[in-house]
Amino acid sequence: MIRRILTAASLALLVPVVASQGQEPAAPVAGLTIEEAIARALGKNFDLQIQTFARETAEEALNIAESVFEADLTYTTSRSQSQSAVASSTLDGASQPRNSLYNNRISATQRIITGTTVTASTNLNRGSNNSVNTLLNPSYNSDFSLTVRQPLLAGAGIAYNRASIDRAKIGLLRSNLDFKNVVLIVVRNVEAAYYNLGFAREQEQVRRFSLDLAERLLEENTTRRDTGIATDLEVLQAEVGVANARRALLQAQQTVRDREDALLNLIGQFEFNTSLGEVRLTDFETPTVSTERSFQLAMEQSPDFASSKLAIEQIKIDLYVAKRDRLPGVSVGATGGYNARQASPTNAAQELWSGDGYNWTVDLTVNLPLGFQAERARYRQALIALSREEKRLEQLEQNLLVQVRSAVRSVEINIESVEISRKATELSNRQFDLEKARFDAGISTFRRVQESQEDLDSARVAELQSRIALRLALADLARLEASSLGTYNITIEE
């Protein structure tokens, strides 16, 4: 069964995507929201589709474990013939006794959850020989038997015989958690790619504005030189400024293309000629973060932490099985049945239930390996594995705490950084306006205007970077908390 991902808030807004490898570019779309990008990733991301196969493999492992208790039906048919070189007795009735046998047997075996094995078997065979002293020739033999065997120590008990099923069920739960973890990672990666694309496009606008400004300054300097106010050196400086601004714009455009490919790689398959449209970095209310609250959420919802706890439960099952395997193999068995021999197959089948032929057997079997060396070693291995996983769980808890503390600090610092960079941009903008006015009044140099413009560009880019850094920090914290599933209304079918 293929896993289904429901995205109630964004599924209806999916933007159609056409596989475009080797095709003409698709028509531009109006825009792409973060919700739409995540919805597309949930439907086409390679990592999610690969993880789906792991979940289906875990389902089949459970089917395999449960198949142990399916009935096993066996049918056997055979023909045999033998001839002696000479008669061994006068009762043989022939100088070279010859016997022929046709045999048909059907049996059904059922294993029960307690470890009991029940086998029912019926047989009908035809035997003939060349002896004249045989009253029934050919003769038909039929029989029916029922055999029950129950282990008393090793291999006995419901918990022991269900161990493989219980382990497979836990494995299926862990595969669900692994899928959930991949979903969280994909959501976080899509968020990062989306925000980085938004930053790259806004940076491109900043560089384009800087180029426009540099071209206007070049035009002004050229006019001032023609009127004798500016020098050729100032014009050359303005030309270099235009060239640098054009190079910065080209680099920004390259970054935009790379960021678009990075996002398309996450939300589609070979759709790199698809236009993403406008990417919107909408304003949002800065949340209040708390290390204690985030760590509690991470402990409760982290799929890695939950999967590690389930791994311990699997090892406990292995430990129980290894402990039971140290017991001697003691089992009791009983077999009972009827048999008949007649001159026709019909009479042989009827006589089977109404005749006097029967047989029964009761037995006790004891299997006692001398030393139990292998069984004891497996038990010690299970104990070591349990201690290892318990220590690994403690390590994971500590690592989770460290990651949450770091993520919360990153959010808090970036909140302050956004405010600081906003003020720095405002200051740089005012300083540029002032320096430009001073230059127009002839009391400043063009070099000072260029430096002021570069400071303004740097401040604008720094403000963009701080805004993106805050969004990425929140995305990292949401992945640790596993809260992004609720944010985007993602439901994972178990």
Side-chain angles (χ1 to χ4, degrees), residues 160 163 167 312-326 375 378-387 390:
Y160 181 92
R167 203 181 195 286
I312 291 177
E313 295 303 316
Q314 284 182 314
I315 294 177
K316 286 182 179 179
I317 293 175
D318 296 338
L319 181 62
Y320 172 79
V321 171
K323 183 178 180 179
R324 295 285 299 179
D325 285 341
R326 296 184 307 167
E375 290 75 9
R378 293 189 186 97
Y379 179 69
R380 290 193 297 271
Q381 281 183 330
L383 284 173
I384 294 170
L386 179 60
S387 299
E390 288 176 342

Short mmCIF file of all heavy atoms in Angstrom, two decimals, residues 160 163 167 312-326 375 378-387 390:
data_model
loop_
_atom_site.label_atom_id
_atom_site.label_comp_id
_atom_site.label_asym_id
_atom_site.label_seq_id
_atom_site.Cartn_x
_atom_site.Cartn_y
_atom_site.Cartn_z
N TYR A 160 6.76 -16.42 23.07
CA TYR A 160 7.91 -16.90 22.29
C TYR A 160 7.53 -17.05 20.82
O TYR A 160 8.27 -16.64 19.93
CB TYR A 160 8.39 -18.24 22.86
CG TYR A 160 9.58 -18.81 22.14
CD1 TYR A 160 10.86 -18.54 22.59
CD2 TYR A 160 9.42 -19.63 21.02
CE1 TYR A 160 11.97 -19.07 21.93
CE2 TYR A 160 10.52 -20.16 20.35
CZ TYR A 160 11.78 -19.88 20.81
OH TYR A 160 12.88 -20.39 20.15
N ALA A 163 7.01 -13.83 18.85
CA ALA A 163 8.14 -12.89 18.90
C ALA A 163 8.44 -12.29 17.54
O ALA A 163 8.62 -11.07 17.40
CB ALA A 163 9.37 -13.59 19.47
N ARG A 167 8.01 -8.38 16.65
CA ARG A 167 9.19 -7.64 16.19
C ARG A 167 8.92 -6.97 14.84
O ARG A 167 9.32 -5.83 14.60
CB ARG A 167 10.38 -8.59 16.07
CG ARG A 167 11.72 -7.89 16.15
CD ARG A 167 12.87 -8.86 16.00
NE ARG A 167 14.11 -8.25 16.41
CZ ARG A 167 14.77 -7.34 15.70
NH1 ARG A 167 14.27 -6.93 14.55
NH2 ARG A 167 15.90 -6.82 16.15
N ILE A 312 14.68 -0.41 21.23
CA ILE A 312 14.91 -1.07 22.52
C ILE A 312 13.85 -2.15 22.76
O ILE A 312 14.16 -3.25 23.26
CB ILE A 312 14.90 -0.03 23.65
CG1 ILE A 312 16.14 0.86 23.55
CG2 ILE A 312 14.85 -0.70 25.02
CD1 ILE A 312 16.19 1.97 24.57
N GLU A 313 12.60 -1.87 22.38
CA GLU A 313 11.55 -2.88 22.55
C GLU A 313 11.83 -4.11 21.67
O GLU A 313 11.57 -5.24 22.08
CB GLU A 313 10.19 -2.27 22.18
CG GLU A 313 9.74 -1.15 23.11
CD GLU A 313 9.68 -1.61 24.55
OE1 GLU A 313 9.16 -2.72 24.80
OE2 GLU A 313 10.15 -0.86 25.43
N GLN A 314 12.35 -3.90 20.47
CA GLN A 314 12.70 -5.02 19.62
C GLN A 314 13.80 -5.87 20.26
O GLN A 314 13.75 -7.11 20.23
CB GLN A 314 13.17 -4.52 18.25
CG GLN A 314 12.04 -4.06 17.34
CD GLN A 314 12.55 -3.62 15.98
OE1 GLN A 314 13.53 -2.89 15.88
NE2 GLN A 314 11.87 -4.05 14.94
N ILE A 315 14.79 -5.22 20.83
CA ILE A 315 15.88 -5.95 21.45
C ILE A 315 15.39 -6.70 22.68
O ILE A 315 15.86 -7.82 22.98
CB ILE A 315 17.04 -4.99 21.81
CG1 ILE A 315 17.66 -4.43 20.52
CG2 ILE A 315 18.10 -5.70 22.63
CD1 ILE A 315 18.74 -3.42 20.75
N LYS A 316 14.43 -6.15 23.40
CA LYS A 316 13.87 -6.87 24.54
C LYS A 316 13.18 -8.16 24.10
O LYS A 316 13.23 -9.17 24.80
CB LYS A 316 12.88 -5.96 25.29
CG LYS A 316 13.55 -4.85 26.10
CD LYS A 316 12.52 -4.02 26.84
CE LYS A 316 13.20 -2.92 27.67
NZ LYS A 316 12.21 -2.08 28.38
N ILE A 317 12.54 -8.11 22.94
CA ILE A 317 11.94 -9.33 22.40
C ILE A 317 13.03 -10.35 22.07
O ILE A 317 12.92 -11.54 22.39
CB ILE A 317 11.11 -9.01 21.15
CG1 ILE A 317 9.89 -8.16 21.53
CG2 ILE A 317 10.67 -10.29 20.44
CD1 ILE A 317 9.08 -7.69 20.33
N ASP A 318 14.12 -9.87 21.45
CA ASP A 318 15.23 -10.77 21.15
C ASP A 318 15.82 -11.35 22.43
O ASP A 318 16.22 -12.53 22.46
CB ASP A 318 16.32 -10.01 20.38
CG ASP A 318 15.85 -9.54 19.01
OD1 ASP A 318 14.88 -10.12 18.49
OD2 ASP A 318 16.45 -8.59 18.48
N LEU A 319 15.90 -10.53 23.47
CA LEU A 319 16.43 -11.00 24.74
C LEU A 319 15.55 -12.09 25.34
O LEU A 319 16.05 -13.09 25.87
CB LEU A 319 16.57 -9.82 25.71
CG LEU A 319 17.13 -10.12 27.10
CD1 LEU A 319 18.55 -10.64 26.99
CD2 LEU A 319 17.08 -8.86 27.97
N TYR A 320 14.24 -11.92 25.27
CA TYR A 320 13.31 -12.92 25.79
C TYR A 320 13.46 -14.24 25.04
O TYR A 320 13.51 -15.32 25.65
CB TYR A 320 11.88 -12.41 25.69
CG TYR A 320 10.84 -13.45 26.04
CD1 TYR A 320 10.55 -13.75 27.36
CD2 TYR A 320 10.16 -14.14 25.04
CE1 TYR A 320 9.60 -14.72 27.68
CE2 TYR A 320 9.21 -15.10 25.35
CZ TYR A 320 8.94 -15.38 26.68
OH TYR A 320 8.02 -16.34 26.99
N VAL A 321 13.55 -14.15 23.71
CA VAL A 321 13.70 -15.37 22.90
C VAL A 321 15.02 -16.06 23.23
O VAL A 321 15.07 -17.29 23.40
CB VAL A 321 13.63 -15.02 21.40
CG1 VAL A 321 14.00 -16.22 20.55
CG2 VAL A 321 12.23 -14.54 21.04
N ALA A 322 16.10 -15.28 23.35
CA ALA A 322 17.40 -15.88 23.67
C ALA A 322 17.38 -16.53 25.05
O ALA A 322 18.01 -17.58 25.26
CB ALA A 322 18.49 -14.81 23.60
N LYS A 323 16.67 -15.93 25.98
CA LYS A 323 16.57 -16.51 27.32
C LYS A 323 15.82 -17.83 27.28
O LYS A 323 16.21 -18.81 27.94
CB LYS A 323 15.88 -15.51 28.25
CG LYS A 323 15.78 -15.97 29.69
CD LYS A 323 15.13 -14.89 30.55
CE LYS A 323 15.05 -15.35 32.01
NZ LYS A 323 14.43 -14.30 32.87
N ARG A 324 14.72 -17.90 26.53
CA ARG A 324 13.95 -19.14 26.43
C ARG A 324 14.73 -20.23 25.69
O ARG A 324 14.58 -21.40 25.99
CB ARG A 324 12.64 -18.87 25.69
CG ARG A 324 11.69 -17.94 26.41
CD ARG A 324 11.01 -18.60 27.58
NE ARG A 324 10.21 -19.76 27.17
CZ ARG A 324 9.53 -20.53 28.02
NH1 ARG A 324 9.56 -20.26 29.31
NH2 ARG A 324 8.83 -21.56 27.58
N ASP A 325 15.59 -19.82 24.76
CA ASP A 325 16.36 -20.80 24.00
C ASP A 325 17.41 -21.49 24.86
O ASP A 325 17.98 -22.51 24.43
CB ASP A 325 17.03 -20.13 22.80
CG ASP A 325 16.04 -19.84 21.68
OD1 ASP A 325 14.96 -20.45 21.67
OD2 ASP A 325 16.35 -18.98 20.83
N ARG A 326 17.69 -20.98 26.05
CA ARG A 326 18.66 -21.64 26.93
C ARG A 326 18.04 -22.85 27.64
O ARG A 326 18.75 -23.60 28.30
CB ARG A 326 19.18 -20.65 27.98
CG ARG A 326 19.96 -19.47 27.40
CD ARG A 326 20.51 -18.61 28.52
NE ARG A 326 19.46 -18.22 29.45
CZ ARG A 326 19.69 -17.68 30.65
NH1 ARG A 326 20.94 -17.51 31.07
NH2 ARG A 326 18.68 -17.34 31.43
N GLU A 375 23.69 -20.96 22.87
CA GLU A 375 22.49 -20.31 23.42
C GLU A 375 22.87 -19.25 24.45
O GLU A 375 22.30 -18.16 24.50
CB GLU A 375 21.58 -21.36 24.04
CG GLU A 375 20.89 -22.29 23.04
CD GLU A 375 21.81 -23.34 22.46
OE1 GLU A 375 22.96 -23.47 22.97
OE2 GLU A 375 21.40 -24.03 21.51
N ARG A 378 24.31 -16.20 22.66
CA ARG A 378 23.28 -15.36 22.06
C ARG A 378 22.55 -14.53 23.11
O ARG A 378 22.18 -13.38 22.87
CB ARG A 378 22.29 -16.23 21.29
CG ARG A 378 22.87 -16.91 20.06
CD ARG A 378 21.79 -17.58 19.23
NE ARG A 378 22.36 -18.36 18.15
CZ ARG A 378 22.57 -19.67 18.19
NH1 ARG A 378 22.22 -20.36 19.28
NH2 ARG A 378 23.10 -20.31 17.17
N TYR A 379 22.35 -15.11 24.27
CA TYR A 379 21.69 -14.38 25.36
C TYR A 379 22.57 -13.21 25.82
O TYR A 379 22.08 -12.10 26.04
CB TYR A 379 21.42 -15.32 26.53
CG TYR A 379 20.77 -14.65 27.72
CD1 TYR A 379 19.47 -14.18 27.66
CD2 TYR A 379 21.48 -14.47 28.91
CE1 TYR A 379 18.87 -13.56 28.74
CE2 TYR A 379 20.89 -13.84 30.00
CZ TYR A 379 19.59 -13.40 29.91
OH TYR A 379 19.01 -12.78 30.98
N ARG A 380 23.88 -13.45 25.94
CA ARG A 380 24.78 -12.37 26.34
C ARG A 380 24.84 -11.29 25.25
O ARG A 380 24.92 -10.09 25.56
CB ARG A 380 26.18 -12.94 26.62
CG ARG A 380 26.25 -13.80 27.87
CD ARG A 380 27.70 -14.06 28.25
NE ARG A 380 28.42 -14.82 27.24
CZ ARG A 380 28.48 -16.16 27.17
NH1 ARG A 380 27.86 -16.88 28.10
NH2 ARG A 380 29.17 -16.76 26.23
N GLN A 381 24.80 -11.70 24.00
CA GLN A 381 24.78 -10.72 22.91
C GLN A 381 23.53 -9.83 23.00
O GLN A 381 23.61 -8.62 22.78
CB GLN A 381 24.79 -11.43 21.56
CG GLN A 381 26.16 -11.93 21.13
CD GLN A 381 26.12 -12.56 19.75
OE1 GLN A 381 25.10 -13.11 19.33
NE2 GLN A 381 27.22 -12.48 19.02
N ALA A 382 22.40 -10.44 23.31
CA ALA A 382 21.16 -9.66 23.44
C ALA A 382 21.26 -8.69 24.61
O ALA A 382 20.78 -7.55 24.51
CB ALA A 382 19.97 -10.59 23.61
N LEU A 383 21.86 -9.11 25.71
CA LEU A 383 22.05 -8.20 26.85
C LEU A 383 22.94 -7.03 26.47
O LEU A 383 22.66 -5.87 26.82
CB LEU A 383 22.66 -8.96 28.02
CG LEU A 383 21.74 -9.89 28.83
CD1 LEU A 383 22.55 -10.68 29.84
CD2 LEU A 383 20.65 -9.07 29.53
N ILE A 384 24.02 -7.31 25.75
CA ILE A 384 24.93 -6.25 25.32
C ILE A 384 24.20 -5.29 24.37
O ILE A 384 24.34 -4.06 24.47
CB ILE A 384 26.16 -6.86 24.63
CG1 ILE A 384 26.99 -7.64 25.66
CG2 ILE A 384 27.02 -5.76 24.00
CD1 ILE A 384 28.10 -8.48 25.03
N ALA A 385 23.42 -5.84 23.44
CA ALA A 385 22.69 -5.00 22.48
C ALA A 385 21.70 -4.10 23.20
O ALA A 385 21.52 -2.92 22.84
CB ALA A 385 21.97 -5.86 21.45
N LEU A 386 21.03 -4.63 24.24
CA LEU A 386 20.08 -3.82 25.00
C LEU A 386 20.79 -2.69 25.72
O LEU A 386 20.33 -1.53 25.68
CB LEU A 386 19.34 -4.71 26.00
CG LEU A 386 18.31 -4.00 26.89
CD1 LEU A 386 17.22 -3.36 26.04
CD2 LEU A 386 17.70 -4.99 27.88
N SER A 387 21.92 -2.97 26.35
CA SER A 387 22.67 -1.92 27.04
C SER A 387 23.16 -0.87 26.05
O SER A 387 23.14 0.34 26.34
CB SER A 387 23.87 -2.54 27.78
OG SER A 387 23.45 -3.46 28.76
N GLU A 390 20.17 1.34 24.98
CA GLU A 390 19.75 2.22 26.08
C GLU A 390 20.72 3.38 26.22
O GLU A 390 20.30 4.53 26.45
CB GLU A 390 19.66 1.43 27.38
CG GLU A 390 18.47 0.48 27.43
CD GLU A 390 18.45 -0.37 28.68
OE1 GLU A 390 19.49 -0.49 29.35
OE2 GLU A 390 17.37 -0.93 29.00
#
